[in-house]
Amino acid sequence: MMNKILGFTAMGIFAVSCATTTQEATEQPWIVDRFDDIKVIRYEVPGFENLTLQEKEYVYYLTEAAKCGRDILFDQNFKYGLAVRRTLETLYVAGRETAEAEGAEFKAMEKYLKKVWFANGIHHHYSNDKFTPEFSEAWFREQLALYINDDNRQIDDDFLCQIIFDPTLYASRLNQKEGVDVITESANNYYEGVNQTEVEAFYAGMAAADAGNPEPVSYGLNSKLMRDENGNIVERVWHIGGMYSAAIEQIVFWLEKAEAVANPTQREYVRALIDYYTTGDLALFDKYNILWVRDTESNVDFVNGFIESYGDPLGRKASWESVVNFRDVEACRRTEIMAAHAQWFEDNAPINPAYRKEEVKGVSAKVITVAMLGGDCYPATAIGINLPNADWIRKEHGSKSVTIDNITYAYAKAAEGNGFNEEFVLRAEDRERMLLHGKLSDDLHTDLHECLGHGSGQLAEGVKGDELRTYSSTLEEARADLFALYYLGDEKLVEIGLISTLDVAWAQYSKYIMNGMQTQLSRIELGKDVEESHMRNRKLIAEWCYEKGKAENVIEIVEQDGKHYVVVNDFVRLRELFGELLCEVQRIKSEGDYEAGKALVENYAVKVDPEFHAEVIARNQALNIEPYGGFVNPTYTPVYDAEGNMTDVTISYDNSYVEQHLEYSTNYSFLPTLN
Ligand code: ZN
């Protein structure tokens, strides 16, 4: 499971404030490309130099393995995805050397190709809708006639044009609309020649045959379901010798190199993964996961395989992905300090002592630095990962939960200079504080929320925990956020060395209240209520504190030049209000007080003032901030001595988005066009 962010509202807050730095900031060196609704960001890999040579070598082989499955994902997303990509790349490389490259049609095709690279296919990575080309079919056919011949033709020209230009053909990669056959109406390549009823019957039969097994494999995870030549429904399994063999062989080639330099713990699961890729046996995938989840000690870690099933309308088939990473020592120190003082936080929480936990169990979350993104994690990626996905393995053996620090950092850097703070933060001192402390205050807020907030408190006797029904997730998020906000402003954090000044807390307070009352509304369509529970929670907290602090002017809505600004005037009093609301939300949860929970949510978290809402949307749109972000990878170069031993691995960051994709398509493309 993954935590995804859209990458704008939350991150816009770190924008550069003072006029003197705006000049450099508008160059935005972290953004390497922007097109359509996408910005492409460069991420750095701090700490890579400090890895041991053995770790660097291990990372290097894993990063190579991470690049070898790119074609698999293109084919999984759409049967003709590789055909479209390869044809466009041929036209692009040939055409960019000519005068044609300056023309509007060529530029439109370039934009389309950039979108195809970003989505790993012809459908938008988030909405799943097919892209609409902005170049004409007539011009495109001229290009085909010029540069495509019998040697480099991927599929029939007419069919290719239909795929690109007919909006009704393969319209959605993932159609889950009520009442449609989600299999036949979705253009992904996980199924062929079968309908939803047949698929469901096929896997129901498999589950029935395995009934009572407490450790069931993830049926169907690594195969395409289709008909054989006799019309029987069969799985084509993804393994060496099976479907996608040519790419999987390359992945295994690099995994075997990694195995040779792995530590003994790593070696065990790298071997299990290789065995699984070789045979396609899902029991071996479970074996791999169990061995992998137990390894909490190794510095370097990775994901490589058919992992997440968001791309299958029935949630069964997994897309190929890879992430190579290592421990962020400094950030982990943060969560360790927190865990060490967990009992103190619990004992001092501003809630009824009866609802405090007597004994807090150690909770920890690992913070990692990503070294390479591949497959379904590239170019768009998650900022947090929690694996494995099999329920029984999670229950019996646990799971690993990580947050990816260098990726959130890159998102934040990319937001600098986008004008968001200048537009929405009224006071220069608030912008300055956010600029200085925004990243740390966000990290600490997340750590406190995840490590301590959710785990705090206890239920009164006789309360089961399901009493709050549809309001429970909003109230639970509010409880964890309030715990985090309250303690962020506590001198204790200075005392234990997590922060050096409470300005870190005040930066978060200004941002949180502004976001909760105002800026997050830009993500909601005009006329709609707030639905999503994290958004509701933020609105609940901000609006409640606004109302309760009104007499003392704790939070103020300032109108200036026809625009509204949300400003915090009194941070210390605001912190007390956070404490008071935490006390009440904890009481509601501990006592299962449905009516009080409902009243809080309905009164503060749902309804939006339409005029205020329209203003936020208009101001946000004027900033032209792309809602989606993705990344280019760094390049790793091994250094060898005269005997051919690796002596170092160097890292460089000078990749352009276009060159990186062309390079991957040249050097890491192993599959035939049709699989
Ligand atoms: Zn939460």
Side-chain angles (χ1 to χ4, degrees), residues 238-467:
W238 308 325
H239 68 104
I240 290 184
M243 195 171 174
Y244 301 144
S245 186
I248 296 173
E249 285 164 39
Q250 296 293 324
I251 294 167
V252 166
F253 171 85
W254 291 108
L255 287 178
E256 284 181 336
K257 294 208 172 262
E259 181 189 22
V261 296
N263 69 36
T265 313
Q266 292 163 335
R267 197 170 301 146
E268 268 194 284
Y269 58 81
V270 174
R271 177 38 58 182
L273 181 59
I274 292 169
D275 291 345
Y276 157 64
Y277 269 137
T278 306
T279 60
D281 180 354
L282 283 167
L284 289 172
F285 183 57
D286 288 343
K287 178 185 171 188
Y288 152 77
N289 274 314
I290 291 165
L291 291 167
W292 174 78
V293 83
R294 280 193 205 141
D295 180 14
T296 52
E297 295 298 315
S298 300
N299 207 16
V300 179
D301 204 351
F302 73 98
V303 175
N304 184 309
F306 304 104
I307 307 293
E308 304 285 0
S309 52
Y310 303 112
D312 173 2
L314 295 178
R316 187 173 292 281
K317 311 285 174 193
S319 61
W320 189 87
E321 70 175 41
S322 184
V323 174
V324 184
N325 66 80
F326 55 88
R327 193 186 305 270
D328 180 338
V329 179
E330 179 54 31
C332 287
R333 192 191 66 95
R334 219 168 55 212
T335 53
E336 280 157 19
I337 290 176
M338 245 171 233
H341 294 88
Q343 194 64 52
W344 184 91
F345 287 107
E346 186 71 14
D347 294 346
N348 290 278
I351 58 175
N352 182 339
Y355 302 144
R356 290 180 193 147
K357 251 198 190 93
E358 267 163 50
E359 205 185 323
V360 181
K361 282 192 190 164
V363 197
S364 73
K366 194 166 95 166
V367 185
I368 59 165
T369 301
V370 154
M372 181 65 67
L373 302 165
D376 220 356
C377 294
Y378 171 84
T381 184
I383 54 163
I385 305 175
N386 190 321
L387 290 173
N389 284 332
D391 285 329
W392 69 266
I393 300 180
R394 297 171 70 86
K395 195 157 155 260
E396 299 296 319
H397 303 276
S399 65
K400 283 200 233 181
S401 179
V402 299
T403 53
I404 307 175
D405 206 52
N406 59 329
I407 293 296
T408 42
Y409 183 71
Y411 269 127
K413 296 305 281 186
E416 285 185 357
N418 67 8
F420 183 88
N421 275 13
E422 289 77 359
E423 180 59 41
F424 288 104
V425 184
L426 179 65
R427 292 177 185 160
E429 72 246 41
D430 289 331
R431 289 198 295 264
E432 200 61 37
R433 225 183 273 111
M434 290 175 191
L435 178 65
L436 277 174
H437 306 295
K439 171 74 167 72
L440 179 62
S441 82
D442 257 14
D443 288 345
L444 285 170
H445 179 264
T446 306
D447 294 341
L448 286 163
H449 175 114
E450 300 291 350
C451 296
L452 302 177
H454 279 306
S456 71
Q458 64 181 4
L459 302 179
E461 203 137 329
V463 175
K464 289 206 295 288
D466 57 4
E467 290 81 359

Side-chain angles (χ1 to χ4, degrees), residues 354-578:
Y355 302 144
R356 290 180 193 147
K357 251 198 190 93
E358 267 163 50
E359 205 185 323
V360 181
K361 282 192 190 164
V363 197
S364 73
K366 194 166 95 166
V367 185
I368 59 165
T369 301
V370 154
M372 181 65 67
L373 302 165
D376 220 356
C377 294
Y378 171 84
T381 184
I383 54 163
I385 305 175
N386 190 321
L387 290 173
N389 284 332
D391 285 329
W392 69 266
I393 300 180
R394 297 171 70 86
K395 195 157 155 260
E396 299 296 319
H397 303 276
S399 65
K400 283 200 233 181
S401 179
V402 299
T403 53
I404 307 175
D405 206 52
N406 59 329
I407 293 296
T408 42
Y409 183 71
Y411 269 127
K413 296 305 281 186
E416 285 185 357
N418 67 8
F420 183 88
N421 275 13
E422 289 77 359
E423 180 59 41
F424 288 104
V425 184
L426 179 65
R427 292 177 185 160
E429 72 246 41
D430 289 331
R431 289 198 295 264
E432 200 61 37
R433 225 183 273 111
M434 290 175 191
L435 178 65
L436 277 174
H437 306 295
K439 171 74 167 72
L440 179 62
S441 82
D442 257 14
D443 288 345
L444 285 170
H445 179 264
T446 306
D447 294 341
L448 286 163
H449 175 114
E450 300 291 350
C451 296
L452 302 177
H454 279 306
S456 71
Q458 64 181 4
L459 302 179
E461 203 137 329
V463 175
K464 289 206 295 288
D466 57 4
E467 290 81 359
L468 303 176
R469 310 210 294 267
T470 52
Y471 299 106
S472 69
S473 57
T474 295
L475 291 165
E476 178 56 19
E477 291 310 321
R479 203 174 65 84
D481 260 0
L482 287 162
F483 192 97
L485 290 164
Y486 178 79
Y487 277 120
L488 200 53
D490 198 310
E491 287 286 353
K492 182 78 179 175
L493 261 58
V494 181
E495 187 194 308
I496 62 180
L498 285 173
I499 58 175
S500 57
T501 160
L502 286 175
D503 275 357
V504 178
W506 309 156
Q508 185 69 17
Y509 285 15
S510 303
K511 167 189 170 171
Y512 191 95
I513 297 296
M514 177 183 77
N515 190 37
M517 287 179 73
Q518 186 179 32
T519 51
Q520 67 167 351
L521 300 177
S522 67
R523 283 195 267 165
I524 294 176
E525 224 176 290
L526 199 59
K528 294 234 164 93
D529 289 339
V530 181
E531 299 282 355
E532 201 274 326
S533 53
H534 291 82
M535 295 181 76
R536 280 188 167 188
N537 132 54
R538 293 182 207 118
K539 187 166 183 309
L540 191 170
I541 292 173
E543 298 277 3
W544 188 92
C545 291
Y546 173 67
E547 188 185 289
K548 300 295 167 187
K550 213 163 187 177
E552 302 153 273
N553 206 24
V554 176
I555 299 167
E556 187 180 357
I557 297 179
V558 180
E559 194 182 338
Q560 195 172 295
D561 302 328
K563 292 177 178 177
H564 294 84
Y565 299 86
V566 177
V567 178
V568 176
N569 289 319
D570 188 340
F571 296 115
V572 176
R573 179 70 188 120
L574 178 59
R575 178 169 183 257
E576 288 170 9
L577 291 170
F578 288 148

Side-chain angles (χ1 to χ4, degrees), residues 6-261:
L6 296 183
F8 73 110
T9 315
M11 291 302 161
I13 205 69
F14 304 122
V16 169
S17 57
C18 34
T20 48
T21 53
T22 308
Q23 190 61 41
E24 307 133 36
T26 48
E27 289 168 21
Q28 294 177 306
W30 289 74
I31 298 181
V32 298
D33 212 336
R34 50 197 341 156
F35 46 89
D36 209 51
D37 56 358
I38 305 282
K39 60 176 171 291
V40 181
I41 306 163
R42 174 177 68 83
Y43 66 91
E44 292 186 341
V45 189
F48 180 75
E49 328 47 61
N50 302 330
L51 298 179
T52 66
L53 176 59
Q54 179 264 339
E55 287 170 338
K56 283 182 185 172
E57 201 171 352
Y58 186 59
V59 167
Y60 175 71
Y61 296 137
L62 292 171
T63 62
E64 288 297 303
K67 290 185 271 189
C68 293
R70 178 166 168 264
D71 280 359
I72 296 177
L73 184 66
F74 268 88
D75 193 75
Q76 288 180 316
N77 280 343
F78 180 49
K79 183 173 179 173
Y80 304 102
L82 286 167
V84 174
R85 189 193 84 199
R86 284 173 177 160
T87 307
L88 289 170
E89 285 170 351
T90 302
L91 299 183
Y92 177 75
V93 170
R96 71 174 175 173
E97 306 297 333
T98 70
E100 191 73 40
E102 292 309 310
E105 299 266 33
F106 186 87
K107 291 233 180 295
M109 186 188 73
E110 180 185 49
K111 178 173 160 189
Y112 185 87
L113 175 57
K114 285 180 176 182
K115 287 161 70 172
V116 167
W117 283 329
F118 195 89
N120 294 283
I122 62 166
H123 302 91
H124 192 277
H125 74 291
Y126 195 80
S127 76
N128 301 308
D129 295 333
K130 193 166 91 168
F131 294 132
T132 306
E134 295 167 46
F135 49 95
S136 71
E137 184 171 345
W139 176 84
F140 187 69
R141 282 183 180 274
E142 280 170 28
Q143 301 299 302
L144 289 175
L146 272 174
Y147 300 115
I148 300 299
N149 52 52
D150 288 346
D151 293 331
N152 63 9
R153 179 170 292 108
Q154 309 291 332
I155 47 172
D156 175 73
D157 288 353
D158 290 334
F159 184 43
L160 179 69
C161 287
Q162 262 185 296
I163 288 172
I164 294 177
F165 295 98
D166 180 350
T168 62
L169 186 67
Y170 307 121
S172 173
R173 180 167 66 93
L174 185 67
N175 188 341
Q176 290 177 294
K177 285 203 189 77
E178 195 70 36
V180 306
D181 184 316
V182 297
I183 297 299
T184 56
E185 293 302 310
S186 297
N188 66 63
N189 191 27
Y190 294 120
Y191 305 93
E192 187 169 344
V194 289
N195 63 34
Q196 185 173 349
T197 313
E198 290 167 330
V199 173
E200 283 167 346
F202 184 90
Y203 286 109
M206 226 178 227
D210 200 20
N213 181 355
E215 302 183 351
V217 300
S218 306
Y219 318 106
L221 185 81
N222 65 336
S223 63
K224 176 174 176 175
L225 195 68
M226 54 193 300
R227 289 184 189 277
D228 66 11
E229 56 273 23
N230 303 317
N232 300 315
I233 298 176
V234 291
E235 284 188 326
R236 267 186 80 201
V237 180
W238 308 325
H239 68 104
I240 290 184
M243 195 171 174
Y244 301 144
S245 186
I248 296 173
E249 285 164 39
Q250 296 293 324
I251 294 167
V252 166
F253 171 85
W254 291 108
L255 287 178
E256 284 181 336
K257 294 208 172 262
E259 181 189 22
V261 296

